[in-house]
Amino acid sequence: MFESAFRFLFKYEPLVFEQGQFVLGATRSMWLVALVAIGAGLYVGWTYWQVRVLQGRPRLILLATRTALLLIVAFTLLRPMLLLRVAVPQQNFVGVLIDDSRSMQVADQGSGTRADYVRAEVGTPEAPLLAALGQRFVPRVFRFSSSAERLQAPGDLTFQGTGTRLGDAIDRAREELSGLPVAGLVVVTDGADNAETTIDQPVAGLRAAGVPVFAVGVGKEQLSRDVQITRVETPRRVLEGASLVVDLVVSQTGYAGATVPLTVEEDGRVVSTQDVTLPPDGESQTVKVRFKAGDAGLRTFSFNIPEQANEEVARNNRREALVEVRDTRERVLLAEGEPRPEAKFIRQATATDDHLNVVLLLRTAMATPNAPDKFWRGGVESPDELQSGFPTTREELFRYQGLIIGSFEAAAFSPEQQRMIEDFVAVRGGGLLVLGGARALGEGGWSGTPLSSALPITIQGVARDAILPPLELSVRPTREGQGHPAVQIADTTAGADAKWKELPTLFSVNAAPVASLKPGASLLLSGLDRSGREQVVLAWQRYGRGKSLVLPVQDSWLWRMHASMAVEDTTHQFFWQRLTRWLVDGVPEPVMVTVAPDRVQPGEPLTITAEIFDREYRGINDGQVLAHVTTPSGRIEDVPMEWTVEQEGEYRARFTPTEDGLYRIAVDGVRRSGEATGRGGTSLRVGASDAEYFDAGMRASLLRRLSEETGGRFFRAGDTALLADAISYSGRGVTVVEERDLWDMPIVLFAVLGLMAAEWTTRRKWGLA
Amino acid sequence: MDHAPEVGPRVKPALLRAVVLLAAGVVLGPTVLAQRGSRSFAVSTDNQPYDGRFTFVRMSYTTAMSFGRRGGGGAAWAHDYPLGEANFLKILTAVSNVPANLDGTNVLAFDDPEMFRYPVIYLVEPGYWSMSDDQVTALRGYLQKGGFLIVDDFPYWGWDQFAAQISRVFPNLEWKDLDVSHPIFHSFFDIESLDIVPAYPALGERPIFRALFEDNNPAGRMYVVANFQNDLSEFWEYSETGSYAVGETNEAYKVGVNQFVYGMTR
């Protein structure tokens, strides 16, 4: 309606004014006439000023109206006009890109699907939109989804594409049309791009080539009734029997507040069910999902919410994740500086976990002038292990995945050992946990050491006496700790909440106020002392490639031994098993292999990346590395990998799977010296994905950005009447300059009439001639 | 003097006690008198509050009659108290870096919830030991959760009474005799031989170290070690006086240190 009114008043569409260049077309003589008119106007004004009969408001009004009239006359005499560069009919090409992906099957365009609209408007040369374009341009029609190609026949549109790569489609069209006069690209799509890369590069290419995009957005920006599992973050590998807590993001429209069941299946077997209350429309909510990893092997976990009544898209209610469940035994070195129960009970708690081996290096006597430190070793795998005490080489220390340091003062470690401890986290990627005790943390003189850099809390000052009497702390999980896998003390949230309230207090002899938490560190457990001051009980942070935790209490074993804890109570065992598993979770191995993207279809290439380290976790750059790819049919292909040069120890290769199913990739190599590297691997599932059904709403913002940054314009489906004009007036391709006069706009006439009426009314009111 | 059977037919406890009491005056009286002294002990007899440090905990119990000393008094459980543990602590902290509380020691009953804050506890004269049902339950829970009991000052005639109490705690567990290869004898010092001279003949022919294991598994966790026919604390108590040979006293300290370090750490 606005456009109609605008056209009525201003003679042309707003588009013409947007694209046109305003000029005054008067000849020299007309300039003279105009000047005379302006001079006359000034004379009129002066004469009015002299007339004493007129005073105040009437004088001003009459002066203004008469002056305005003369200005309008002068303006029209100057011949105002718009210059437009208009595409010459049939001299320019227009690329028409039609989205042929599965998301176009969504039934939210009018009374039909998006595909119905596309077929109706551009599906055939006679279709209205394509016909309108055909009258002025030479259309070249493409269809695109994961790839783009020329549309040979209307029947080629199947809307079965399992991906949408808008950027690739644009590049393809631009390349095919390069060298031709192109007025623009028309992209008919819902914009639900799910490519790994952004459209920045294609947009830059279009701008460089001067090709504008006119995007036609099909479908609703937000579906009316839809529940979607937007994202699930699962670890790539876990230990057998691991209790997992994963973050699952759910969003919805049309079902706000409803409670729906969320089911987790492992290879088709239900392993967990919980109820989820859906968030408000359009909002996302993160849900903590708990389940256990079963037997070792590659497992597919699927997360499902049943289809809801009248739901527009049901295929986005399910997400799958491939997880490698490992039957390995992770080794953790527990270095304890003095005989005390904490180490005993940690080993007792973890002894029943077949996937953890906590090796204890216990100092039982301190060095004297005549004798070195005395140690007892528990859980060692060979008589030589830790024979000389704490490791003195990186190779020896980096054999462990986790390191726990108890009440062990800094002075007991050489400067090189202290640096090794820091590198254990930062370089090796190990998990470090520092316990509280009289010889730990600041009290143990660790301030200013490399280890203190790795810790999630700041420790200050010189070695000092432990806090005695110790601080008695009531321990509770923080908000972040409540769902964290490291501090699960029961199988359910409700069970854990109840237990936390019943646990006995713990004691700390170390100053670790919450204020000492470093930026970026996370507080999982806190303790309140008798004065109400809050202390850190468990905090962690990422440090380099690894993670660093601090547990500045000295007697978590009270959660086992305290008189109030029943013999059958498993809190302490759960806590330490899960904390220790999380400590070593994700710790890199000497060869780490990843693929990107992690889900492709047959024929789509992917990149295999391997990080290869020596025993000191220094990158190996001189390896002849091969990726042994085992296809679902059992065939093995050896793919050579090249060092990337950008990063120490990083190798890459491209591979294109051709079969549906599970691929396994194993990487190993040989160094120039002939020494073999380690071996690592990964897996991926190749096949059609349901990515098209996720976030299937029309992406108006993306399409608008694509259009505006290239000098084009965004249209909504059903509102494309001016599309052909917009392309014509874009000034691209083969164009001719047209003049559009403005002096005869209806609004000029209305303005003149309006001013005359105002003067007449004023005269009448004031009784003037 | 008869050897007490290692695991033999039981004599009725009441009759045995009567015989013992009669013999006590003849055999042990002079020894006790010799042990009486006018030594003053500068160790606090108040229990120490828990602060996370190792605190020596001696267990008290109700006996039918007083025997021995308790700061000059008489309960059996207080034999060698407090000097025995005071001297032991000095040695323990001198040879090891056990973070021990030297301000004092604790005396607790088996039904005192505080017991659970101290993972190693010490009991003497088990021949006079008896427990209530609640105490039996408490001790069972304590040991099953990870606690460790050291039983000392253990004459041969005390076995039946002791075993009877323990069988109330763990009816299905069986005592195992330890040999020198067991890790408890290498937890700090390397004990090379168990041919240890007893403190005095009245204890029995030779010390035998017996243990009770979780699930009767000798390779598993030890609940209790009993210094049968032995009295380590006797050596500890008199180590300053020269009443016993230096070598034997050293062995008593070594075994004691080993047992406590073992209990704290395994």
Side-chain angles (χ1 to χ4, degrees), chain A residues 356-375:
Chain A
L356 295 174
N357 177 18
V358 177
V359 177
L360 174 60
L361 177 70
L362 170 65
R363 186 179 60 178
T364 53
M366 291 176 70
T368 65
N370 300 320
D373 285 338
K374 187 178 172 75
F375 289 99

Side-chain angles (χ1 to χ4, degrees), chain A residues 458-535:
Chain A
T458 303
I459 48 176
Q460 291 172 336
V462 297
R464 52 188 175 266
D465 291 339
I467 299 173
L468 281 175
L471 301 172
E472 186 173 1
L473 303 173
S474 296
V475 180
R476 292 288 182 273
T478 61
R479 198 180 160 115
E480 187 167 353
Q482 270 172 350
H484 199 278
V487 293
Q488 298 308 302
I489 57 173
D491 277 335
T492 63
T493 310
D497 287 346
K499 279 209 168 172
W500 282 113
K501 290 182 182 129
E502 295 165 359
L503 285 179
T505 52
L506 301 183
F507 293 80
S508 175
V509 293
N510 303 103
V514 169
S516 66
L517 206 63
K518 287 181 182 170
S522 298
L523 183 65
L524 301 180
L525 296 175
S526 68
L528 281 181
D529 66 17
R530 295 234 167 132
S531 313
R533 285 172 303 199
E534 201 178 5
Q535 296 276 329

Side-chain angles (χ1 to χ4, degrees), chain A residues 42-93:
Chain A
L42 290 172
Y43 175 74
V44 163
W46 180 76
T47 54
Y48 265 108
W49 200 258
Q50 301 300 311
V51 174
R52 294 291 172 227
V53 173
L54 287 177
Q55 296 292 334
R57 270 184 67 192
R59 175 192 282 194
L60 285 171
I61 292 172
L62 290 174
L63 197 59
T65 53
R66 191 55 67 91
T67 305
L69 274 168
L70 286 169
L71 285 175
I72 289 173
V73 168
F75 175 72
T76 56
L77 288 174
L78 290 172
R79 200 186 168 210
M81 57 183 173
L82 291 173
L83 292 182
L84 275 172
R85 299 190 70 82
V86 182
V88 177
Q90 301 305 323
Q91 294 296 306
N92 295 284
F93 289 83

Side-chain angles (χ1 to χ4, degrees), chain A residues 250-332:
Chain A
V250 63
S251 60
Q252 68 80 35
T253 46
Y255 303 97
T259 299
V260 297
L262 170 68
T263 307
V264 183
E265 294 177 10
E266 178 188 336
D267 295 329
R269 179 180 60 94
V270 174
V271 295
S272 165
T273 304
Q274 67 187 75
D275 285 337
V276 174
T277 301
L278 296 175
D281 282 357
E283 290 185 17
S284 295
Q285 175 177 300
T286 301
V287 178
K288 299 281 183 191
V289 182
R290 296 163 190 262
F291 57 99
K292 263 199 160 142
D295 297 333
L298 270 177
R299 301 283 168 223
T300 300
F301 289 91
S302 63
F303 304 83
N304 311 279
I305 293 176
E307 180 177 353
Q308 302 301 300
N310 303 318
E311 191 173 353
E312 286 171 320
V313 179
R315 292 180 72 161
N316 57 4
N317 293 20
R318 178 185 172 94
R319 281 277 190 190
E320 285 189 352
L322 193 61
V323 179
E324 183 188 354
V325 180
R326 299 191 302 156
D327 181 17
T328 55
R329 204 152 181 245
E330 307 294 76
R331 308 196 73 228
V332 177

Side-chain angles (χ1 to χ4, degrees), chain A residues 97-261:
Chain A
L97 281 68
I98 302 174
D99 190 338
D100 192 30
S101 66
R102 284 184 180 180
S103 61
M104 300 298 282
Q105 294 179 20
V106 175
D108 67 343
Q109 182 59 46
S111 59
T113 66
R114 299 172 185 178
D116 291 338
Y117 169 84
V118 169
R119 284 196 194 93
E121 290 292 321
V122 292
T124 62
E126 299 76 32
L129 185 53
L130 203 52
L133 292 174
Q135 283 172 1
R136 303 189 206 189
F137 310 101
V138 180
R140 282 275 195 270
V141 186
F142 301 82
R143 64 178 183 131
F144 73 93
S145 54
S146 308
S147 59
E149 57 193 17
R150 287 287 298 277
L151 184 69
Q152 306 296 342
D156 288 349
L157 286 173
T158 60
F159 305 104
Q160 293 296 326
T162 56
T164 301
R165 302 219 161 92
L166 189 51
D168 289 351
I170 288 171
D171 282 343
R172 169 84 165 82
R174 182 171 56 78
E175 283 163 17
E176 180 146 336
L177 295 173
S178 70
L180 298 173
V182 178
L185 290 182
V186 175
V187 182
V188 184
T189 176
D190 54 17
D193 182 82
N194 43 46
E196 299 275 323
T197 54
T198 65
I199 62 168
D200 292 346
Q201 290 285 358
V203 166
L206 287 172
R207 288 174 66 170
V211 177
V213 170
F214 298 87
V216 179
V218 186
K220 291 189 220 170
E221 285 183 74
Q222 196 171 63
L223 298 173
S224 303
R225 297 183 74 78
D226 181 49
V227 175
Q228 175 178 280
I229 297 179
T230 304
R231 190 173 72 249
V232 175
E233 293 175 7
T234 57
R236 289 284 294 180
R237 44 177 63 183
V238 297
L239 288 175
E240 191 177 15
S243 291
L244 299 171
V245 180
V246 303
D247 285 342
L248 180 142
V249 179
V250 63
S251 60
Q252 68 80 35
T253 46
Y255 303 97
T259 299
V260 297

Side-chain angles (χ1 to χ4, degrees), chain A residues 444-460:
Chain A
W446 286 97
S447 172
T449 65
L451 177 136
S452 70
S453 304
L455 288 179
I457 61 171
T458 303
I459 48 176
Q460 291 172 336

